[in-house]
Amino acid sequence: MKAATLDITTAARDGHYAVGAFNVFDYVSMKAVISAAARLHSPAIIQISARTAKAIGPVLIAQMFSDLAARVDVPLALHLDHCPDVQLISDVIDAGWQSVLFDASHLGFDEARQLTRAVVAKAHPRGVAVESEIENILGVEDGVGSNEARHAYSVEQLVETARYTHTDLLAPQLGTAHGLYTSDPVLHPERVTEIRALTDMPIVLHGGTGLSAAEFRAFIGAGVSKINISTQIKRSYMSAALADLGSAREAERWEPLPVFDAVAEAVSAAVEPLLRVFAGKAV
Ligand SMILES: [Zn+2]
């Protein structure tokens, strides 16, 4: 069932677990994540990159989500991931999505604050929650972001900005990065503790792919309430499609539907153990 992103994430914060936010790319992967969440009786956030939102269209995505969410009784929200494009955010609000990440990490401090505050002022009257990012998470995700740390602020500056902008969820830099890790990241769960000492706003961990269960637990223990997973879903999706297409070619089997089944199974299989870890259960 459809639920507000803020309700899902504050329940996670109060229950000392994290809700998984999984990037999906089409109906097949969206359905696979929702099925996995329903099987585990777990809330989940269905996350869409700005690129995917533009490719499919915010209205069609909202319709697919509404149809699938109505079939299960776990709380689900539709969320726009990293978006610096104010027009796309406006289109998504009009289409009835539950929340957006306004990515202001490419802007200077003052401009980021002003623009984030303006986005929140547009979103809140429509019941849409805003995740804010003014420090950049390392790595490039679907054409958004940078591999260089451009903006880094004190936790006091982050919290003061979140208050000033009336942001709902906060995405600070925590040492993680988008994409696959080529060396061990230096993680900063203590930054979560420091922020949580100043505010009870739900905190978001980006770049979750590749972290161990113990690393997730450290972040959740420190107070992270939403964990984003994108790269792992992409890899599961593409690997399953590749394997199935390879066997289809060998068998001269030119039927598309089995590819979708293989992809759905792989995406669900990637999501389920993560949902268990985020819920604080043994894998
Ligand atoms: Zn991210």
Side-chain angles (χ1 to χ4, degrees):
M1 62 191 177
K2 220 186 273 185
T5 302
L6 200 54
D7 289 345
I8 294 177
T9 49
T10 51
R13 179 200 64 202
D14 296 345
H16 307 287
Y17 62 92
V19 59
F22 302 96
N23 284 59
V24 302
F25 318 97
D26 56 10
Y27 183 79
V28 174
S29 47
M30 187 188 282
K31 190 178 176 192
V33 171
I34 290 176
S35 304
R39 270 197 296 277
L40 296 184
H41 309 288
S42 170
I45 293 171
I46 299 299
Q47 208 157 253
I48 308 279
S49 74
R51 184 187 281 174
T52 303
K54 284 179 185 160
I56 302 178
V59 172
L60 181 54
I61 291 171
Q63 287 168 344
M64 292 194 300
F65 174 75
S66 292
D67 179 74
L68 290 168
R71 299 185 205 177
V72 298
D73 59 6
V74 292
L76 300 166
L78 181 61
H79 175 82
L80 178 65
D81 202 13
H82 296 276
C83 184
D85 177 347
V86 175
Q87 181 57 52
L88 182 59
I89 287 184
S90 191
D91 294 345
V92 156
I93 291 171
D94 287 343
W97 295 33
Q98 280 65 56
S99 52
V100 299
L101 163 51
F102 179 56
D103 189 334
S105 61
H106 57 297
L107 303 172
F109 189 61
D110 290 332
E111 204 184 346
R113 283 162 63 91
Q114 297 313 327
L115 216 48
T116 303
R117 191 173 152 108
V119 167
V120 174
K122 264 192 194 175
H124 277 183
R126 309 287 300 278
V128 175
V130 178
E131 179 179 332
S132 162
E133 178 186 339
I134 61 168
E135 296 182 309
N136 66 306
I137 314 291
L138 297 183
V140 179
E141 186 172 31
D142 270 13
V144 179
S146 165
N147 286 315
E148 281 167 50
R150 290 196 194 134
H151 301 293
Y153 304 114
S154 69
V155 293
E156 288 78 12
Q157 281 176 305
L158 289 181
V159 171
E160 195 280 321
T161 297
R163 289 204 181 109
Y164 172 74
T165 57
H166 303 289
T167 290
D168 303 288
L169 301 116
L170 183 57
Q173 175 55 260
L174 299 173
T176 51
H178 295 128
L180 292 174
Y181 292 104
T182 47
S183 58
D184 287 344
V186 180
L187 303 175
H188 296 292
E190 78 285 354
R191 247 191 140 212
V192 179
T193 312
E194 290 164 23
I195 294 169
R196 292 285 278 119
L198 301 173
T199 178
D200 65 357
M201 184 174 300
I203 298 169
V204 183
L205 176 69
H206 284 250
T209 297
L211 299 192
S212 68
E215 287 167 334
F216 283 129
R217 281 186 202 108
F219 276 114
I220 296 165
V224 158
S225 306
K226 171 176 178 268
I227 299 179
N228 291 4
I229 303 286
S230 174
T231 302
Q232 194 168 342
I233 307 294
K234 288 183 180 176
R235 282 180 72 90
S236 301
Y237 186 118
M238 296 297 287
S239 308
L242 197 59
D244 192 75
L245 289 169
S247 55
R249 182 165 58 187
E250 277 183 21
E252 295 269 347
R253 165 172 61 78
W254 305 114
E255 286 292 338
L257 287 180
V259 187
F260 301 154
D261 292 342
V263 165
E265 200 178 311
V267 169
S268 284
V271 166
E272 285 183 11
L274 291 168
L275 284 175
R276 287 196 188 93
V277 171
F278 299 166
K281 295 173 191 155
V283 182

